[in-house]
Amino acid sequence: MPKVTFNPYSITVEVVEGANLIRAAMDAGVHVNASCGGEGACGKCRVVVEEGEVEAEGAESIGEDDWNVGYRLACRSRVVGDVTVRVPSESLLDRKTLMRRREGIALRPSPIDLQSLKQIGLYNPAFQKRFVKLHRPTAGDNLCDLGRLEKALAKQHDIHHITLDFHLTRKLARVMRENNFEITATLDFSRRRYRFPHLLNVEPGDTTGRHFAFAVDIGTTTVWVQLIDIAGGEIIGTAADYNEQINYGDDIIARIIYSQSERGLSRLQGAVAATVNHLMQRLLKRFALNKEDISHITLAGNTTMTHLFYGIEPKNIRLSPYVPAVCNVPLARARDMNLDMPPHVFMNCVSSVSSFVGGDIVAGVIASGIYKDPRLTLYIDIGTNGEIVIGNKQWLTCTACSAGPAFEGGGIQCGMRATSGAIERVSINPETFEPMILTIDMSKPKGVCGSGLINLIAALSGAGLLEANGKFREDCGTERIRMGENGREYALVYAKESHTGRDIAISETDIDNLMRAKAALFAGYVTLIESVGLTLQDIEQVILAGGFGNFINIEDAVAIGLLPDLPRSRFQFVGNGSLRGATLLALSRDLLEEERRVAGMMTNFDLSSTPGYMDRYVAALFLPHTELDYFPSVRERLRNNGSNGRGEAVQKKA
Amino acid sequence: MPKVTFNPYSITVEVVEGANLIRAAMDAGVHVNASCGGEGACGKCRVVVEEGEVEAEGAESIGEDDWNVGYRLACRSRVVGDVTVRVPSESLLDRKTLMRRREGIALRPSPIDLQSLKQIGLYNPAFQKRFVKLHRPTAGDNLCDLGRLEKALAKQHDIHHITLDFHLTRKLARVMRENNFEITATLDFSRRRYRFPHLLNVEPGDTTGRHFAFAVDIGTTTVWVQLIDIAGGEIIGTAADYNEQINYGDDIIARIIYSQSERGLSRLQGAVAATVNHLMQRLLKRFALNKEDISHITLAGNTTMTHLFYGIEPKNIRLSPYVPAVCNVPLARARDMNLDMPPHVFMNCVSSVSSFVGGDIVAGVIASGIYKDPRLTLYIDIGTNGEIVIGNKQWLTCTACSAGPAFEGGGIQCGMRATSGAIERVSINPETFEPMILTIDMSKPKGVCGSGLINLIAALSGAGLLEANGKFREDCGTERIRMGENGREYALVYAKESHTGRDIAISETDIDNLMRAKAALFAGYVTLIESVGLTLQDIEQVILAGGFGNFINIEDAVAIGLLPDLPRSRFQFVGNGSLRGATLLALSRDLLEEERRVAGMMTNFDLSSTPGYMDRYVAALFLPHTELDYFPSVRERLRNNGSNGRGEAVQKKA
């Protein structure tokens, strides 16, 4: 991998070939002013190539002379080999700020490793196809078609006492005769309780090589669908889109309320089914597959999303004492859920634990392997609700914190979802207080997504602009801090460089919302761990889940008091744990059996009735926390920066 | 019971109070001329009351003087106490003809004896209701609704590891809260293979006292529905109607052919579903029940009817080698079969054995208890196909003979179904050759139904009008035998007394059809019994089934060679064995388990490929048979009547 060295800091990082230079700088913790998100419009991210070469586009802001002596726009440059660049003096930072180098940045989930699944004997899909050659009936052997198939399955595959789905009786005779009495049977071996495999489909000829399944993660905001080649043992494609239910309300509570209106429930069911249909079709089209090739669907979602998908009234979820109707949804025909699938396609649903710890979390626990790991693990899924699981292979506790939608951009003036134009990374020059921002696709910025907000708060705090109580320092010496419509704010992007033509700013109100969210989460896991007589330091592994977690900067998240201040090597990222879990369940009957057991062993805590939670929540309404003992590395840095680290304003030298 | 003595024969019979006098005469084997079917129009059935009284209506044909000396019309008289009547000389018969006294006439099926079912421990319905009081959820106990129910079922009823039907998940929460968390659960305990009871329904409050089920017999011609009170253990009502599929063809073959036309199968499915719906509604209305009170439906029918009811293509049933698609239809939701039932209602279907031995026969075997009887039994269901079962508790063989629809009135010019106006009983005066006929509701005759045809052939033969080869004797000395449109015929009813205004006659062609039918049946059971190395005389019990069997006259049926000539005490009648079996299966889980075992132990014979069948068939194309050794009692009578009993014409003395 090419190495990029940033001077004058002599910081060297390895990047993938073709990496964007300004991203490399961000990764290296090197601040380069950039206010257009990476689009190349602001012309501020000028660097000089000192050794080696980059593949760069020209820019208006770089004249021919400058070009000839090596000036390039970092955001328009791609790394093609070892290279040394100098960040010009106007961008130069106090070296001290560089200590915030991001170790956590490389946390990306490893792909599902099918090879090792196979090695440990867990690659055994519950739904399997078997090719069967039947004897053609004769006068002396005129068993009914079903009897003939049963006999052949017993003889050729040692499969006995099958049960079958009614719809098959209507096509069995035709299918058997379509290809000379050679057929492929699809059987469900998952129902351990039933003891006997369930015949789900028959197809003419040998189709054992064409066997696909879908895994579906139904999020409140986003729906993910993954196409799995069961025969080949591969994940072949993934698609995601907004849950169409968004039209009926942003969060779970709004959806539950809407579900109680006339035809509300069926509209919500139809909306999410439409989203899933559309994603399944997209994948089938992309890989030139037929829906007949699908054998089943495994679905995971939070408890409310699961209720809504299955058309089950969710209203008691939000009424004390918060009782879901069903945590273990029985096998259901996909078609009955308005999915455009043939009648043989059934849906498995990952079990929920309680109203607020759903199948998405159970799937994540399966996907991350906590339930069989001896190490004490903290599993955090940060979304509208922050769901937390703590435990190991012997015990698991879980809870949900009403973190609110702040980390998903909700209730934050400049907040937005992590889509095109969202500022996902922010750095602030501690000398000039000028920002460096990158947007998701390096287009003009529209707003700030969750991971960007964490960056932003950490950067504001790190640059000494924010007090520990979340208020802007008086008299900072930058015009970017000013009085806005909602009180004091920091102007991150000025109107002329924003996509909307309006300033993008973050106010104290926004910051307050974010602090409440992170405080709820922190108080949640501290309460959980302390209620079982352990401390944060006992946690041997922290697993982050959720689409959001994908881009979270561990250092920043610790700095603001969202994540626990543990050795960074203990952090892992599982990606979309829910989707990953659903996919694994489609690939492994043994995991499918584990799933209910795991859901059953997860003890649910209701934080609102757990002593000490509120106190812990209030104590956490600081950056990073009123009690700095929880954040030794942050305290250390604050000391280095000259702060007394007791929740008072960070003292800026400048 | 009142006694009726018929003079001059001094024949005394017991009859039920209120019995019709002409029926009593028919039962007693006393011929009284009667050609209007019992309507009172012909005025021929005059009798004189010698002792006692009858309750009689006046009639034009009886003047005041005659009335005063005791003349009455037998068909208009009801027996109200012991009475002696004299049959006038014009109706007087040779005493010899009286030996044909009908022992078999009293063969009526005993009602299903629930008390003895209970005594032998077989009264254990597979579908059961359980009242459950649930704890109201609290913050400390907020299990999901389903989990709460599972826990309560385990604790209060020792029912564990239930599975549940998906549709319940959508109503569980509401139902639980409707009546203070007191609910009634309906569970299916029938699936032995599944090991665990299946939850089918939940209702608010205690509904254990309201638990009903339907048993359905789908015949090619008639559909029967029986309403069963599962909670009370009673059969509470029965309804029957023509199978609406009749509009698409009279017999199975016509239906199968129609099913292959465009939308044919779905039309046929819809037609029979409409019939069942209409019968179920009629019963629900009659007993003021709600369809929500029904827990399940048990269905029996022949293999083709079963295929058509379930919308399964039946075409291979009629193509060599005659393979049904499915003999064991899995549990299916009634609503999916277009039955107007709530979603919790599922259907059990009695297993078929082969294309031509269906669930109706298996149900009959269950209903008649052959499968657990040590006695060698011959079970005959006479319909379009004559199905035959021979065996005992250790082995069972079965077959179907293509008897054709003759006994159901098909292919017989004067034939009709057993409905209003059908001549069901016939006697012919061996001196005058005048007929005595009774119609089903004693209204003007329209035609002759199956049991009437058997009577008629036996009567024609017994009166010496028919040769053993089924041809009318030359020179009989009665104008009733004449040349008709279809060759020689016997005029049973003249136009002026018939409902249609046309003569009702039976031709040699008709008789030929009936002989083919009876020969097919006789050859069938003889082939079956002889192929296992036994003889007819080894049969210890003969069970007759079918709506037709209800009125069959054993003596006549033996006389024409349809039934075996065995001691009459060995004959029993099970009634509609199919419906009776379906009802028993609804009442007994144990029988439900037996059902598949019994179907599995029934070895199917294909007569067309069984050596000797055709020879036996040809030999049986005589009245009663070319080989009179098969019919010792008939031979005896023929000898008494002066016949040589070798298939030659019965010699009449007159």
Side-chain angles (χ1 to χ4, degrees), chain A residues 5-78:
Chain A
T5 304
F6 293 98
N7 281 335
Y9 315 111
S10 302
I11 291 175
T12 302
V13 287
E14 282 196 340
V15 299
V16 294
E17 175 124 1
N20 185 290
L21 191 56
I22 199 165
R23 289 205 173 264
M26 188 69 100
D27 288 352
V30 171
H31 183 97
V32 183
N33 283 350
S35 58
C36 67
E39 200 201 12
C42 71
K44 288 180 185 163
C45 60
R46 288 156 59 108
V47 295
V48 188
V49 176
E50 294 187 328
E51 269 185 69
E53 260 307 328
V54 294
E55 216 172 80
E57 294 167 29
E60 275 183 30
S61 55
I62 298 181
E64 203 183 331
D65 291 350
D66 284 354
W67 181 271
N68 289 337
V69 298
Y71 277 92
R72 300 289 183 270
L73 284 189
C75 74
R76 301 281 95 185
S77 302
R78 286 148 44 84

Side-chain angles (χ1 to χ4, degrees), chain A residues 137-139 142-146 148 150 161-166 169-170 172-173 177 193-196 198 269 309-313 316 321-332 336-337 604 606, chain B residues 137-139 142-146 148 150 161-166 169-170 172-173 177 193-196 198 269 309-313 316 321-332 336-337 604 606:
Chain A
T138 61
N142 62 356
L143 260 184
C144 73
D145 293 332
L146 176 59
R148 183 168 305 277
E150 287 175 320
H161 307 296
I162 59 166
T163 61
L164 85 159
D165 184 52
F166 172 76
T169 62
R170 290 186 174 167
L172 184 61
R177 285 159 185 80
R193 290 166 61 184
Y194 289 48
R195 300 286 168 88
F196 299 98
H198 192 63
Q269 200 286 325
F309 177 84
Y310 282 99
I312 301 168
E313 217 177 68
N316 296 307
Y322 315 110
V323 176
V326 184
C327 282
N328 301 321
V329 181
L331 208 65
D336 292 345
M337 303 306 130
N604 189 54
D606 175 14
Chain B
T138 61
N142 61 356
L143 259 184
C144 73
D145 293 332
L146 176 58
R148 183 167 307 275
E150 287 174 321
H161 306 296
I162 59 166
T163 60
L164 86 158
D165 185 51
F166 173 77
T169 63
R170 291 188 172 165
L172 184 61
R177 284 159 184 82
R193 291 165 62 183
Y194 289 49
R195 298 286 167 86
F196 300 99
H198 191 64
Q269 200 287 324
F309 176 84
Y310 282 99
I312 302 168
E313 216 177 70
N316 296 307
Y322 315 111
V323 177
V326 185
C327 281
N328 302 319
V329 181
L331 209 64
D336 292 345
M337 303 305 129
N604 189 54
D606 174 14

Side-chain angles (χ1 to χ4, degrees), chain B residues 6-11 50 85-89 92-93 95 98:
Chain B
F6 292 98
N7 280 335
Y9 315 112
S10 304
I11 292 173
E50 294 186 331
V85 298
R86 170 166 296 271
V87 180
S89 58
L92 201 60
L93 298 185
R95 269 206 81 115
L98 291 171

Side-chain angles (χ1 to χ4, degrees), chain A residues 213-437:
Chain A
F214 282 120
V216 178
D217 161 47
I218 301 202
T220 311
T221 306
T222 312
V223 175
W224 290 80
V225 174
Q226 198 150 54
L227 178 58
I228 307 157
D229 179 350
I230 300 284
E234 281 186 276
I235 295 161
I236 54 174
T238 308
D241 207 337
Y242 287 120
N243 184 336
E244 275 185 38
Q245 289 179 344
I246 281 179
N247 301 324
Y248 302 105
D250 266 351
D251 58 25
I252 279 172
I253 300 302
R255 306 262 174 94
I256 294 178
I257 290 169
Y258 185 81
S259 78
Q260 292 176 253
S261 64
E262 195 180 333
R263 293 202 32 78
L265 180 56
S266 95
R267 282 208 191 96
L268 289 168
Q269 200 286 325
V272 65
T275 306
V276 176
N277 275 332
H278 143 82
L279 290 169
M280 292 193 304
Q281 268 159 33
R282 196 196 292 171
L283 285 168
L284 289 175
K285 201 173 163 194
R286 191 189 307 162
F287 296 98
L289 294 175
N290 191 306
K291 61 188 176 187
E292 293 292 334
D293 298 328
I294 302 299
S295 75
H296 68 294
I297 297 172
T298 308
L299 179 136
N302 64 52
T303 310
T304 301
M305 285 305 113
T306 302
H307 277 59
L308 293 178
F309 177 84
Y310 282 99
I312 301 168
E313 217 177 68
K315 74 174 175 191
N316 296 307
I317 287 177
R318 68 177 273 266
L319 301 175
S320 171
Y322 315 110
V323 176
V326 184
C327 282
N328 301 321
V329 181
L331 208 65
R333 202 184 297 273
R335 183 173 272 191
D336 292 345
M337 303 306 130
N338 296 314
L339 295 193
D340 180 23
M341 280 284 126
H344 71 263
V345 177
F346 276 79
M347 308 197 68
N348 263 322
C349 179
V350 183
S351 305
S352 298
V353 175
S354 65
S355 277
F356 301 111
V357 177
D360 51 347
I361 303 305
V362 174
V365 168
I366 294 282
S368 59
I370 313 174
Y371 70 98
K372 54 177 184 183
D373 198 318
R375 290 174 293 177
L376 181 63
T377 302
L378 166 63
Y379 178 99
I380 306 182
D381 188 327
I382 304 170
T384 308
N385 274 305
E387 290 102 343
I388 297 164
V389 182
I390 293 181
N392 56 26
K393 69 177 184 181
Q394 279 163 327
W395 55 274
L396 290 168
T397 60
C398 58
T399 194
C401 328
S402 306
F407 290 123
E408 293 195 321
I412 307 294
Q413 211 191 338
C414 63
M416 68 177 286
R417 297 204 181 94
T419 53
S420 174
I423 296 169
E424 54 164 347
R425 295 171 72 178
V426 179
S427 157
I428 291 174
N429 186 316
E431 306 283 337
T432 63
F433 308 122
E434 284 304 295
M436 171 194 193
I437 62 165

Side-chain angles (χ1 to χ4, degrees), chain A residues 350-624:
Chain A
V350 183
S351 305
S352 298
V353 175
S354 65
S355 277
F356 301 111
V357 177
D360 51 347
I361 303 305
V362 174
V365 168
I366 294 282
S368 59
I370 313 174
Y371 70 98
K372 54 177 184 183
D373 198 318
R375 290 174 293 177
L376 181 63
T377 302
L378 166 63
Y379 178 99
I380 306 182
D381 188 327
I382 304 170
T384 308
N385 274 305
E387 290 102 343
I388 297 164
V389 182
I390 293 181
N392 56 26
K393 69 177 184 181
Q394 279 163 327
W395 55 274
L396 290 168
T397 60
C398 58
T399 194
C401 328
S402 306
F407 290 123
E408 293 195 321
I412 307 294
Q413 211 191 338
C414 63
M416 68 177 286
R417 297 204 181 94
T419 53
S420 174
I423 296 169
E424 54 164 347
R425 295 171 72 178
V426 179
S427 157
I428 291 174
N429 186 316
E431 306 283 337
T432 63
F433 308 122
E434 284 304 295
M436 171 194 193
I437 62 165
L438 291 181
T439 56
I440 280 178
D441 51 2
M442 299 180 75
S443 64
K444 275 200 170 173
K446 296 175 185 166
V448 189
C449 70
S451 59
L453 286 167
I454 291 172
N455 275 173
L456 178 55
I457 305 290
L460 288 168
S461 175
L465 294 174
L466 266 189
E467 309 269 2
N469 64 1
K471 305 298 173 199
F472 289 112
R473 276 188 60 213
E474 304 289 335
D475 182 25
C476 300
T478 170
E479 284 177 1
R480 287 191 179 258
I481 292 188
R482 63 193 192 189
M483 203 54 164
E485 277 177 28
N486 301 299
R488 301 181 76 212
E489 63 183 20
Y490 173 82
L492 186 59
V493 179
Y494 289 122
K496 63 175 180 199
E497 273 155 2
S498 84
H499 182 271
T500 56
R502 287 193 302 274
D503 288 356
I504 298 172
I506 185 159
S507 69
E508 286 180 348
T509 311
D510 295 333
I511 292 166
D512 199 47
N513 280 335
L514 286 161
M515 280 173 62
R516 287 172 194 277
K518 74 99 190 170
L521 207 68
F522 180 84
Y525 60 76
V526 168
T527 303
L528 214 55
I529 192 82
E530 292 183 355
S531 70
V532 295
L534 297 168
T535 72
L536 280 184
Q537 296 305 316
D538 295 319
I539 292 170
E540 294 165 274
Q541 180 175 234
V542 179
I543 293 178
L544 302 176
F548 172 79
N550 210 351
F551 298 96
I552 202 167
N553 182 291
I554 303 294
E555 219 46 63
D556 289 346
V558 172
I560 70 167
L562 172 63
L563 292 181
D565 192 358
L566 294 167
R568 305 307 185 253
S569 60
R570 295 190 193 169
F571 287 83
Q572 280 208 37
F573 179 53
V574 75
N576 182 338
S578 175
L579 182 66
R580 196 180 173 87
T583 293
L584 284 169
L585 292 171
L587 291 167
S588 174
R589 167 172 36 159
D590 291 339
L591 288 181
L592 207 54
E593 303 301 350
E594 286 289 50
E595 175 262 310
R596 295 232 161 157
R597 187 184 67 77
V598 168
M601 81 184 263
M602 287 169 69
T603 308
N604 189 54
F605 271 72
D606 175 14
L607 288 179
S608 66
S609 65
T610 305
Y613 174 71
M614 275 313 291
D615 292 344
R616 289 191 181 92
Y617 168 71
V618 172
L621 287 171
F622 262 68
L623 294 173

Side-chain angles (χ1 to χ4, degrees), chain B residues 194-459:
Chain B
Y194 289 49
R195 298 286 167 86
F196 300 99
H198 191 64
L199 183 63
L200 283 172
N201 199 19
V202 287
E203 296 167 291
D206 184 352
T207 69
T208 49
R210 290 177 73 81
H211 182 188
F212 300 88
F214 282 120
V216 177
D217 161 46
I218 302 203
T220 311
T221 305
T222 312
V223 175
W224 290 80
V225 174
Q226 198 149 55
L227 178 59
I228 308 158
D229 179 350
I230 300 284
E234 281 186 277
I235 293 161
I236 56 176
T238 308
D241 207 337
Y242 287 120
N243 183 336
E244 276 186 37
Q245 289 180 341
I246 282 178
N247 301 325
Y248 302 104
D250 266 352
D251 59 25
I252 280 173
I253 300 302
R255 305 264 175 92
I256 294 178
I257 291 169
Y258 186 81
S259 77
Q260 293 177 252
S261 64
E262 195 180 332
R263 293 202 35 77
L265 180 56
S266 96
R267 282 208 190 97
L268 288 168
Q269 200 287 324
V272 65
T275 305
V276 175
N277 276 331
H278 142 83
L279 291 169
M280 292 192 304
Q281 268 160 34
R282 195 197 291 172
L283 286 167
L284 289 175
K285 200 173 164 192
R286 190 191 306 164
F287 297 98
L289 294 175
N290 191 305
K291 60 189 177 186
E292 293 293 333
D293 299 328
I294 301 299
S295 75
H296 69 293
I297 297 172
T298 308
L299 178 137
N302 64 50
T303 310
T304 301
M305 285 304 112
T306 302
H307 277 59
L308 293 178
F309 176 84
Y310 282 99
I312 302 168
E313 216 177 70
K315 74 174 173 189
N316 296 307
I317 288 178
R318 68 177 273 267
L319 301 176
S320 172
Y322 315 111
V323 177
V326 185
C327 281
N328 302 319
V329 181
L331 209 64
R333 203 183 297 274
R335 185 174 271 191
D336 292 345
M337 303 305 129
N338 296 313
L339 296 193
D340 179 24
M341 281 284 125
H344 71 262
V345 177
F346 276 78
M347 308 196 69
N348 263 322
C349 179
V350 183
S351 305
S352 298
V353 175
S354 65
S355 277
F356 301 111
V357 178
D360 52 345
I361 303 304
V362 174
V365 168
I366 293 284
S368 58
I370 314 174
Y371 70 97
K372 54 177 182 181
D373 199 318
R375 290 175 293 176
L376 180 64
T377 302
L378 165 64
Y379 179 99
I380 307 182
D381 189 327
I382 304 170
T384 307
N385 274 305
E387 289 102 344
I388 297 164
V389 181
I390 293 181
N392 57 25
K393 69 177 183 180
Q394 281 164 323
W395 56 273
L396 290 167
T397 59
C398 58
T399 194
C401 328
S402 306
F407 291 122
E408 292 192 324
I412 306 294
Q413 211 191 339
C414 63
M416 67 177 286
R417 298 203 182 93
T419 54
S420 172
I423 296 169
E424 53 164 348
R425 296 171 73 177
V426 178
S427 157
I428 291 175
N429 185 316
E431 307 281 338
T432 64
F433 308 122
E434 285 304 295
M436 170 190 192
I437 63 166
L438 289 181
T439 57
I440 279 177
D441 52 2
M442 298 179 78
S443 64
K444 273 198 171 173
K446 294 176 184 167
V448 190
C449 69
S451 59
L453 286 169
I454 291 172
N455 275 173
L456 178 54
I457 304 290

